[in-house]
Amino acid sequence: MSTAEFTPRFTPSPDGLNAEFYAHLAAGTLRLQRCDDCATWRHPARVLCGRCGSERWQWAETSGRGTVYTWTVTHQALVPPFAGDEPYAVVVVELAEGPRLVTAVRGIEPAALRLGLPVTLRIARVSDAVGLHYFVPA
Ligand SMILES: [Zn+2]
């Protein structure tokens, strides 16, 4: 899929901290938890800092910049909403802040993906409560 556009194929129904993560995306920002005591970023959302054990944290806005860390190309739609999209790449992007996101990169064919490719955040707002992140080549 080479188009830089992104059409959500389903809408998650998150709860708890995950609902907060998706709500920030719906509001137009990619925010991850950042520890108030040791400044370590973390994702997916969880209660305790994995580095220092602190329970104090905030949703901090990321730069939206990252690089392709790894990916896999799917040649067979495993669920109906993705039928017709194949082949498509499921990509892990390493953010400049450190955490990695399982996401999509649009605007580039799967065969053209490269390790370390610089990418920039885009957000598809699907409701008042949910936005979905994806990336395009920087
Ligand atoms: Zn910490």
Side-chain angles (χ1 to χ4, degrees), residues 34-40 42 48-54 56:
R34 190 173 193 200
C35 179
D36 284 344
D37 290 313
C38 75
T40 297
R42 64 184 189 253
L48 298 177
C49 176
R51 182 166 183 244
C52 77
S54 173
R56 299 181 338 111

Side-chain angles (χ1 to χ4, degrees):
M1 173 180 301
S2 62
T3 178
E5 297 176 16
F6 178 75
T7 303
R9 297 299 189 266
F10 63 93
T11 303
S13 299
D15 60 5
L17 292 175
N18 286 321
E20 295 179 29
F21 171 76
Y22 285 105
H24 286 299
L25 286 166
T29 60
L30 173 58
R31 292 179 182 267
L32 300 182
Q33 290 174 293
R34 190 173 193 200
C35 179
D36 284 344
D37 290 313
C38 75
T40 297
W41 295 84
R42 64 184 189 253
H43 180 77
R46 51 193 176 270
V47 175
L48 298 177
C49 176
R51 182 166 183 244
C52 77
S54 173
E55 297 178 359
R56 299 181 338 111
W57 56 271
Q58 58 188 293
W59 289 108
E61 186 170 356
T62 66
S63 65
R65 292 180 292 105
T67 56
V68 170
Y69 181 78
T70 190
W71 70 92
T72 187
V73 177
T74 299
H75 294 272
Q76 178 179 358
L78 300 177
V79 290
F82 291 92
D85 289 349
E86 63 276 34
Y88 61 89
V90 177
V91 182
V92 176
V93 165
E94 186 171 77
L95 296 172
E97 291 78 8
R100 297 171 187 150
L101 297 175
V102 177
T103 188
V105 176
R106 298 296 190 236
I108 186 171
E109 293 294 335
L113 288 169
R114 294 291 177 265
L115 294 175
L117 177 76
V119 291
T120 300
L121 173 72
R122 295 288 185 269
I123 296 171
R125 187 176 181 278
V126 296
S127 73
D128 288 343
V130 173
L132 300 176
H133 55 76
Y134 67 102
F135 289 79
V136 295

